Amino acid sequence: MDDNKNKVLRFRDVTLYTVSAMLFMDQIALAASLGATSLFWWAYVLVLLFVPMALMTAELGTTYPGSGGVYHWVRLAFGARWGARLSWMYWVNNALWMPSVYILFAAMLSEFFLPDLSLWTQIAIGISLALLTALFNAVKLGIGKWLPNMGALMKLVAVLALGVGGIRYGLQHGFANPLTLDTLIPSSGMAIAALGIMVYGIMGTELACCSAPEMRNPVRDIPRAILAAGLLIAAFNVFGTLGVLAAVPSDQTDVTKIFAESLYQMYGHDGLGGAFASLIACFVLFTLFTNMVTWSMGTNRAAVAAAKAGELPALFGVVHPRYHTPVGPALLASTVSIVVMLVYGLVASSAEELFWTLLSIFAMIFMLPYVLMSLAFIKLRLHDPRPRPFRLPLGNVGACLWAAVVGLHVLAGILLFVVTPGEPMDWDYSGKILLGVGLALAIGEWLIRASSRQQAQQALALQGR
């Protein structure tokens, strides 16, 4: 088979794929719900963390353009076992993120168009979307790539509508959230703890590298795409958050309602303004779905790479016989998502409570691979002399120090999901989160060790023949 037939991703596709993966509509909602402090944190994380992470990704992605992206880099740096652990964390965080995104989707759908949807009806919508996500992972990439591309363009339109409409509303009626030095600078424990959510929001520069073998020219396109996508993502995150803050008081709403209240506050409920607000609402909902599909495409491909190396169970390595798309991990992720939605539906009292619980669990797992990625960058930069088509500047010492700063901030972000500075530990809430994280990591360790034993037994059996 001609490998060039599978190389379908151009610079445009890689750029839009990265925008689709990293411009989170739910992150803008989360940021705006934190109030004016989020604008300070956006500036902080974009300059101090996003820039070096993008440069690290460009160096690693062009120097080691193998299948699996960050899994491939960590495996090279620390060996197969750590590569397998990262692949599991990468995959399972996506499986746990899926229910939180689709519960948010259903809750926003209720706020936009279908008031008074029950929690179980919202869960049924989430289950349907989880199954659709698996389906879109199975189609060939030449077709599947258009969903992230469309999602990226709709996100840009939706964020423009939020930003322009919000700032116009603020100038005409006064800003709903005052933007002063006192409100911008974090001073309370809750405002400092918001750093965790903001760090989570700038992760993902490496996702497109999971599909490097399907790029026409990864060495050329990865740095260019990350630069172009990074500029768009930074500008639109800040612009969208500012627009929402201009229109709706952050202390009078929640993350499931904030877009509906913002859009109809900006454009009204009736006439052309109301029709436009409803159209943007459809864009917002569609982009939540495409965001999930985009991440699934990347994390499931990393799981396939680990399964083919014998580091995860064989079911994770099942691919479509014709398109070689990741069918096995996609179906497993959707199954886990459905089970999680059903279980948490029995104990959650509202969609918002369910969303925040699931978000905290998956976000902590989601961020762990980036600690390993920072460490892998440091080790490979210092110990692997192979030529680098692109290098993070500042020399070895400066580049490694910057990577260490990124890793330490990610660790701090993880802790801030369960610890609020200056306040006592809420073990009732934090205990559930830590239990969920510990259970997910323990299951992964068991699967990895079982796969390792099975691989060793197969090797012994071959030697005995």
Side-chain angles (χ1 to χ4, degrees):
M1 184 177 67
D2 185 1
D3 287 341
N4 288 327
K5 291 181 179 179
N6 291 325
K7 295 183 179 294
V8 296
L9 298 179
R10 303 172 182 268
F11 164 71
R12 173 201 62 203
D13 302 316
V14 180
T15 302
L16 292 175
Y17 186 97
T18 304
V19 171
S20 183
M22 291 193 62
L23 185 57
F24 301 141
M25 295 304 297
D26 49 332
Q27 177 63 24
I28 291 175
L30 285 168
S33 71
L34 299 172
T37 306
S38 61
L39 296 176
F40 169 85
W41 284 129
W42 271 133
Y44 183 92
V45 299
L46 287 170
V47 173
L48 194 63
L49 304 180
F50 179 78
V51 170
M53 183 151 303
L55 295 173
M56 285 163 50
T57 299
E59 177 170 329
L60 292 169
T62 53
T63 308
Y64 313 99
S67 179
V70 66
Y71 155 78
H72 179 57
W73 309 332
V74 169
R75 194 175 192 273
L76 284 173
F78 302 117
R81 181 63 62 87
W82 278 105
R85 287 176 179 135
L86 181 137
S87 184
W88 168 256
M89 288 187 283
Y90 211 50
W91 178 86
V92 79
N93 92 73
N94 194 67
L96 295 174
W97 183 29
M98 195 182 300
S100 71
V101 170
Y102 289 156
I103 288 298
L104 180 64
F105 178 104
M108 285 188 175
L109 177 66
S110 177
E111 293 297 328
F112 282 131
F113 304 117
L114 301 170
D116 304 321
L117 277 181
S118 69
L119 178 62
W120 281 103
T121 302
Q122 294 179 36
I123 289 173
I125 292 170
I127 290 172
S128 301
L129 292 169
L131 294 172
L132 274 176
T133 301
L135 175 64
F136 275 99
N137 268 257
V139 301
K140 65 179 181 179
L141 194 59
I143 295 173
K145 71 177 185 178
W146 289 107
L147 196 66
N149 288 359
M150 290 170 58
L153 295 173
M154 287 188 182
K155 281 183 186 182
L156 297 178
V157 172
V159 175
L160 278 174
L162 287 166
V164 171
I167 292 172
R168 185 194 65 172
Y169 180 90
L171 292 174
Q172 291 176 348
H173 304 282
F175 278 61
N177 295 276
L179 302 179
T180 66
L181 192 61
D182 288 339
T183 61
L184 288 171
I185 302 299
S187 55
S188 67
M190 287 295 292
I192 295 171
L195 175 62
I197 291 173
M198 304 307 289
V199 172
Y200 145 74
I202 53 97
M203 303 286 109
T205 54
E206 83 302 334
L207 189 67
C209 298
C210 292
S211 300
E214 292 152 304
M215 296 179 191
R216 295 200 172 188
N217 192 336
V219 171
R220 181 195 66 192
D221 290 342
I222 285 174
R224 294 169 61 211
I226 289 173
L227 174 62
L231 292 172
L232 284 171
I233 291 161
F236 276 72
N237 268 324
V238 174
F239 191 57
T241 303
L242 181 60
V244 176
L245 288 172
V248 178
S250 61
D251 59 352
Q252 295 179 21
T253 187
D254 64 51
V255 70
T256 63
K257 300 175 182 177
I258 199 163
F259 280 150
E261 294 185 2
S262 297
L263 285 170
Y264 292 119
Q265 184 85 298
M266 296 170 190
Y267 298 104
H269 286 270
D270 304 317
L272 288 176
F276 180 73
S278 295
L279 176 64
I280 298 301
C282 293
F283 283 10
V284 169
L285 293 172
F286 182 73
T287 60
L288 290 176
F289 174 65
T290 59
N291 211 72
M292 200 68 255
V293 172
T294 303
W295 273 92
S296 296
M297 288 177 173
T299 59
N300 289 333
R301 279 167 169 76
V304 167
K308 287 184 175 180
E311 296 158 7
L312 285 178
L315 190 54
F316 285 85
V318 175
V319 297
H320 192 284
R322 182 178 176 186
Y323 304 135
H324 305 286
T325 47
V327 173
L331 288 173
L332 285 170
S334 293
T335 300
V336 169
S337 174
I338 290 168
V339 170
V340 169
M341 281 188 271
L342 292 173
V343 170
Y344 275 92
L346 296 173
V347 298
S349 59
S350 68
E352 188 188 16
E353 180 186 342
L354 177 56
F355 170 78
W356 279 106
T357 303
L358 293 173
L359 172 73
S360 299
I361 293 172
F362 106 78
M364 292 177 71
I365 300 171
F366 170 73
M367 293 162 75
L368 285 171
Y370 295 95
V371 179
L372 293 175
M373 176 178 157
S374 299
L375 294 173
F377 173 86
I378 293 170
K379 183 171 182 181
L380 292 171
R381 170 63 88 93
L382 294 177
H383 298 289
D384 187 352
R386 77 182 68 188
R388 282 158 165 74
F390 178 92
R391 292 178 69 89
L392 194 159
L394 304 178
N396 282 352
V397 173
C400 291
L401 283 174
W402 212 356
V405 168
V406 171
L408 289 171
H409 272 80
V410 176
L411 272 177
I414 292 169
L415 291 174
L416 288 171
F417 272 95
V418 290
V419 176
T420 300
E423 296 187 13
M425 190 82 160
D426 181 356
W427 285 107
D428 182 50
Y429 171 76
S430 300
K432 289 186 292 186
I433 305 302
L434 293 172
L435 178 63
V437 172
L439 184 61
L441 295 179
I443 291 171
E445 193 66 21
W446 176 74
L447 288 173
I448 292 165
R449 290 180 182 276
S451 298
S452 179
R453 285 194 299 270
Q454 183 179 14
Q455 190 179 32
Q457 290 169 358
Q458 290 173 347
L460 287 173
L462 288 173
Q463 290 176 1
R465 289 181 180 178

